[in-house]
Amino acid sequence: MTRLPDFRLETYFSRWEFTARHHLTASDAETMTMAGLLALAGPEDRKAWDTLALGYTETFGDPELRRAIAGTYEEVDADDVICFGGAQEGLNLAMQVLLEPGDHAVVITPNYQSAETVPLSICEVTGVALDERQHWALDVDAVEAALRPNTRVVSVNFPNNPTGALIDAADLRRLAELCDERGIHLFSDEVYRGLERDPARTLPQAADLSGRALSLNVTSKSLGLPGLRIGWIACRDRELRSRLERAKHYTTICNSAPSEVLARIAIKAREPILARNRALIAANLPQFDAFFAEFADLFEWRAPEGGCVAFPRYLGADGVEEFCTDLVEQAGVLLLPASMYRSELTPTPADRFRVGIGRRDPGPALEAFAHWLRTRR
């Protein structure tokens, strides 16, 4: 296993995330207070919180939490769920368990950096780029063409970070069938599921489509509760689930007991939380539409189909990297430039930036952004 490179996004955030006045590139939906979340608890979960002992927890995760998570799937039961310290731990350990030197993986791009760099640290990886010209469409034929006899994993992410793209449910089913036919594990990052602009386009979860597939999810993104640091993988392959548990023994061993109780409250109350977050996004989008319409000479804007991030194009002559640096240094408005999503596997756009649309009241950030742009003209 080769050494992992610096995580560009997190390195950038370590400089700016908590110092910039306006965080306009947030990848999570608006969060809530502890009191707000506890107000959603039923009597049993509230009692569990009030009487919680701060000891070790089960490596697989709190049984009640796993039952709550399983209830969000059609074919998954509690024994098919293993919880992690956020989605990142689940992704990292899954790739280490599924892949060995001499194997091959297929990963879509652009994507969250570790979806590419972790498998690349283990084995050969082929990238399949979403088609920027077709609103980030996925060519399933291209995925099929990339498969090899030694392919062990196909990794996808929809709704996609950073583009907000979705695929048709038929395409996801075809991917699951292709993987099953060849004994490949479909790894599906579903952390933005539930924030689709059109609920009819909500994709099935991979773990429901195949007994070999892995569905990755987390409380951080769609639910807006990143401080809980609770993620999970659902997979009906019990032998694989056991291997994931043994891998977790070398990392977090078990999750935070308070976080697991709070996470199960959130999972049980997911429908009102998701409805609130979808409403926030729907209310925010006209503000972003108006902003980008005012500066149509500088940007190409398309609202995301799902999730709470988008990936507009910057048309300025100075280039998006310099543009984002000047914006945060001079106006205190934080965006993520295209280099954060650079891929070693495929060409990726060098003129785009990530913007977050899921936080409450983006008006002050957009006004600071607009004022800065007007003063440059």
Side-chain angles (χ1 to χ4, degrees):
M1 184 171 178
T2 60
R3 183 176 179 180
L4 290 167
D6 284 349
F7 205 110
R8 294 184 300 273
L9 183 153
E10 294 301 334
T11 301
Y12 197 78
F13 271 172
S14 70
R15 170 65 180 89
W16 294 113
E17 184 174 11
F18 297 103
T19 58
R21 291 191 297 279
H22 304 288
H23 189 359
L24 200 56
T25 190
S27 63
D28 53 333
E30 182 72 22
T31 196
M32 63 179 66
T33 64
M34 178 78 80
L37 180 56
L38 287 173
L40 298 174
E44 290 185 5
D45 289 330
R46 183 62 205 231
K47 180 179 179 182
W49 173 254
D50 290 338
T51 60
L52 180 65
L54 297 177
Y56 285 109
T57 63
E58 297 184 28
T59 300
F60 282 119
D62 167 56
E64 286 298 321
L65 171 59
R66 292 163 63 208
R67 274 192 281 274
I69 290 169
T72 68
Y73 295 81
E74 295 181 359
E75 303 293 337
V76 167
D77 65 34
D79 283 343
D80 300 321
V81 176
I82 179 168
C83 298
F84 295 99
Q88 179 74 289
E89 183 188 29
L91 188 159
N92 193 330
L93 293 184
M95 293 302 130
Q96 293 185 43
V97 164
L98 293 170
L99 296 170
E100 297 179 356
D103 288 341
H104 173 253
V106 176
V107 176
I108 66 162
T109 66
N111 207 326
Y112 193 60
Q113 181 180 328
S114 56
E116 172 178 320
T117 53
V118 175
L120 265 176
S121 72
I122 301 169
C123 65
E124 285 192 78
V125 183
T126 299
V128 174
L130 302 180
D131 190 343
E132 182 183 12
R133 300 162 299 177
Q134 298 295 324
H135 306 312
W136 307 106
L138 175 66
D139 184 346
V140 180
D141 289 338
V143 175
E144 183 174 14
L147 300 178
R148 304 177 186 176
N150 63 334
T151 303
R152 299 290 177 261
V153 172
V154 171
S155 174
V156 298
N157 165 218
F158 296 105
N160 179 252
N161 178 4
T163 68
L166 280 167
I167 58 173
D168 291 336
D171 288 333
L172 185 62
R173 289 190 177 93
R174 185 179 166 206
L175 281 174
E177 291 168 0
L178 285 173
C179 289
D180 280 351
E181 289 167 1
R182 293 162 172 79
I184 296 168
H185 291 282
L186 176 62
F187 183 88
S188 179
D189 178 341
E190 299 163 358
V191 300
Y192 285 110
R193 190 173 189 273
L195 293 186
E196 295 78 11
R197 289 174 64 198
D198 178 2
R201 296 199 62 198
T202 302
L203 292 169
Q205 296 173 103
D208 286 329
L209 297 178
S210 165
R212 296 181 59 83
L214 297 84
S215 286
L216 176 75
N217 215 320
V218 73
T219 57
S220 302
K221 304 302 185 184
S222 294
L223 293 176
L225 296 166
L228 297 185
R229 309 311 306 138
I230 297 294
W232 65 88
I233 286 175
C235 180
R236 288 181 278 150
D237 182 334
R238 299 294 173 87
E239 189 275 334
L240 174 56
R241 192 203 64 160
S242 178
R243 291 165 62 199
L244 287 169
E245 184 211 19
R246 293 195 296 273
K248 188 180 173 185
H249 292 163
Y250 274 92
T251 54
T252 56
I253 302 175
C254 65
N255 296 328
S256 156
S259 287
E260 290 199 322
V261 174
L262 293 171
R264 84 191 199 204
I265 293 169
I267 296 297
K268 291 177 182 179
R270 66 189 300 273
E271 292 305 329
I273 296 173
L274 290 174
R276 183 207 69 153
N277 292 342
R278 286 193 298 267
L280 272 174
I281 292 168
N284 287 345
L285 276 174
Q287 298 181 64
F288 285 90
D289 291 340
F291 171 87
F292 286 111
E294 178 181 349
F295 300 101
D297 58 322
L298 287 176
F299 306 104
E300 287 182 8
W301 160 251
R302 177 180 169 83
E305 297 170 310
C308 53
V309 293
F311 208 38
R313 173 178 280 119
Y314 177 60
L315 306 175
D318 51 339
V320 75
E321 304 296 323
E322 182 178 337
F323 167 75
C324 287
T325 298
D326 289 347
L327 176 63
V328 70
E329 289 181 345
Q330 297 170 21
V333 178
L334 179 62
L335 299 172
L336 276 179
S339 59
M340 300 301 112
Y341 291 93
R342 183 178 70 248
S343 172
E344 302 299 322
L345 304 174
T346 72
T348 47
D351 56 359
R352 292 182 176 265
F353 59 93
R354 191 184 82 181
V355 62
I357 61 169
R359 296 284 182 89
R360 180 177 286 112
D361 191 15
L366 289 172
E367 181 50 42
F369 194 176
H371 176 74
W372 182 76
L373 289 172
R374 295 180 192 121
T375 61
R376 297 174 87 219
R377 286 182 164 173

